[in-house]
Amino acid sequence: MATIHQIITREGIDQARQKATTKHERALVEAAYQVLTEDAEKIGFTYSGFALTSLPHKPHTDLVWRREGHNLTLLIESGRDRTGKAIGLPYGSYARFILLFLQSEAVRTGSREIELGRSMRVWLGSMGLSIGGTTYRMVTEQAKRISHCRLQFFMDRAGAEVMRHGGFVDGTISMSDLGDQQSLWNDRVLLNEEFYRALRDHPVPVSTSALRAIGPRSMVIDVYIWLAYRLHALTSDVAVSWPALHSQFGSGFQLMRKFRAHFIECLDLALAAYPDANVSVGERGITLHPSRPAISRA
């Protein structure tokens, strides 16, 4: 992946675009170029648990979602409305971007009370989600699902619970259906106290420029966050097998060869958005090499 960044730097974006012959290669060039030309990097945050596990990528018919990561298990249960009907599990890139905004604001302000208002709409817009029409309805739906679900994390060592009575928020992230869209969101929302405590104690810094370059690609977001969490802390190379990668990222893929092909494409895009990442792909899996952080915390 360093080659793409080097081509853009040495030969310019026009030459890099000419060398890209497939849709995937063109996406890599544009993501790398966007990150390289960003005027000022801005820092965001997410809980480390989401670097090791993840939300569903697509609508999930079951009411419980369970994912295994390195020494960590995530369990999410769907909430219900006042009639007892299941609301459904949060999924996809919209849910991830909503949560990234809430977590970043909580760490930035040092408070679990998050001001919403125009700032959330602007932030989502900067991520490529223009809040209108179909996108408005999808963001509203994911906000509702996030507001009502139950969240638990378990450490694999003796099954100890990290988060017992968790949720993402106390209360509801709701949007008012206003045509002029001047006041889309409630004034504020409280992060759940246990979730906020876990986030405060174990934040993972990420680059909002990288997230913007990745755009609404949920698995790429997950892979980028995973790399941002793992690479800078390494002191030596670490091999990760395809079965281990499938366990963490492979929801919806029964055939390993199909997962492998899709994961490599997602990894390519995540690396395009993380120029200092050092990762190699082999027959048995991938190897993570010690790398500079995804973004400086200075």
Side-chain angles (χ1 to χ4, degrees):
M1 285 310 306
T3 302
I4 289 181
H5 301 103
Q6 290 169 2
I7 291 173
I8 294 172
T9 301
R10 290 197 308 252
E11 304 179 32
I13 184 59
D14 290 338
Q15 284 295 318
R17 285 170 174 159
Q18 288 181 20
K19 292 176 184 291
T21 59
T22 67
K23 181 179 179 180
H24 178 61
E25 289 175 350
R26 289 191 290 271
L28 297 183
V29 168
E30 296 306 322
Y33 180 63
Q34 188 168 337
V35 170
L36 289 173
T37 57
E38 189 73 26
D39 289 336
E41 279 194 312
K42 293 184 179 179
I43 192 169
F45 294 94
T46 189
Y47 170 51
S48 62
F50 292 119
L52 302 172
T53 61
S54 62
L55 301 178
H57 297 291
K58 297 179 179 180
H60 199 60
T61 55
D62 294 340
L63 302 182
V64 176
W65 172 257
R66 183 177 181 274
R67 294 307 291 170
E68 295 283 348
H70 181 67
N71 292 328
L72 194 70
T73 300
L74 165 67
L75 195 69
I76 302 180
E77 299 177 63
S78 167
R80 296 182 181 272
D81 62 20
R82 64 185 300 173
T83 69
K85 180 180 178 181
I87 292 171
L89 298 167
Y91 67 88
S93 57
Y94 297 111
R96 285 163 170 79
F97 279 133
I98 292 170
L99 289 171
L100 281 162
F101 171 81
L102 296 176
Q103 293 172 96
S104 297
E105 286 296 291
V107 175
R108 184 182 67 81
T109 63
S111 170
R112 69 186 184 102
E113 182 176 69
I114 309 302
E115 296 288 341
L116 298 175
R118 183 174 177 273
S119 60
M120 187 167 185
R121 175 162 56 92
V122 170
W123 192 87
L124 291 174
S126 73
M127 295 295 111
L129 306 180
S130 178
I131 309 303
T134 300
T135 303
Y136 175 87
R137 291 190 293 274
M138 294 180 71
V139 170
T140 301
E141 176 63 24
Q142 294 307 316
K144 181 179 180 181
R145 291 174 180 230
I146 288 169
S147 298
H148 289 85
C149 69
R150 173 180 167 82
L151 180 70
Q152 292 174 281
F153 280 99
F154 300 87
M155 293 294 292
D156 283 351
R157 294 190 297 273
E161 284 185 292
V162 179
M163 190 180 297
R164 267 185 318 184
H165 304 294
F168 291 110
V169 297
D170 294 340
T172 302
I173 312 166
S174 62
M175 300 173 71
S176 57
D177 191 9
L178 300 178
D180 61 6
Q181 298 184 5
Q182 291 300 306
S183 179
L184 291 176
W185 302 88
N186 282 349
D187 288 340
R188 56 181 59 87
V189 68
L190 279 176
L191 285 192
N192 173 272
E193 187 170 0
E194 284 201 38
F195 180 56
Y196 172 68
R197 187 183 305 118
L199 168 66
R200 182 195 61 197
D201 294 344
H202 304 284
V204 177
V206 295
S207 165
T208 59
S209 300
L211 294 170
R212 185 181 304 112
I214 290 168
R217 300 177 174 99
S218 62
M219 188 183 287
V220 183
I221 295 170
D222 291 346
V223 173
Y224 168 78
I225 289 173
W226 178 63
L227 295 176
Y229 172 71
R230 297 220 50 191
L231 292 181
H232 77 96
L234 296 179
T235 56
S236 60
D237 294 350
V238 172
V240 186
S241 69
W242 289 118
L245 292 167
H246 182 269
S247 177
Q248 181 171 344
F249 298 104
S251 171
F253 290 90
Q254 293 187 354
L255 296 178
M256 182 62 75
R257 61 181 176 81
K258 289 189 176 181
F259 164 73
R260 175 175 168 170
H262 184 68
F263 179 85
I264 289 173
E265 286 195 351
C266 292
L267 177 64
D268 284 346
L269 277 162
L271 295 175
Y274 185 171
D276 291 320
N278 189 357
V279 178
S280 54
V281 179
E283 285 300 315
R284 296 185 178 182
I286 69 173
T287 301
L288 307 178
H289 308 282
S291 307
R292 294 178 59 187
I295 187 170
S296 171
R297 295 194 64 166

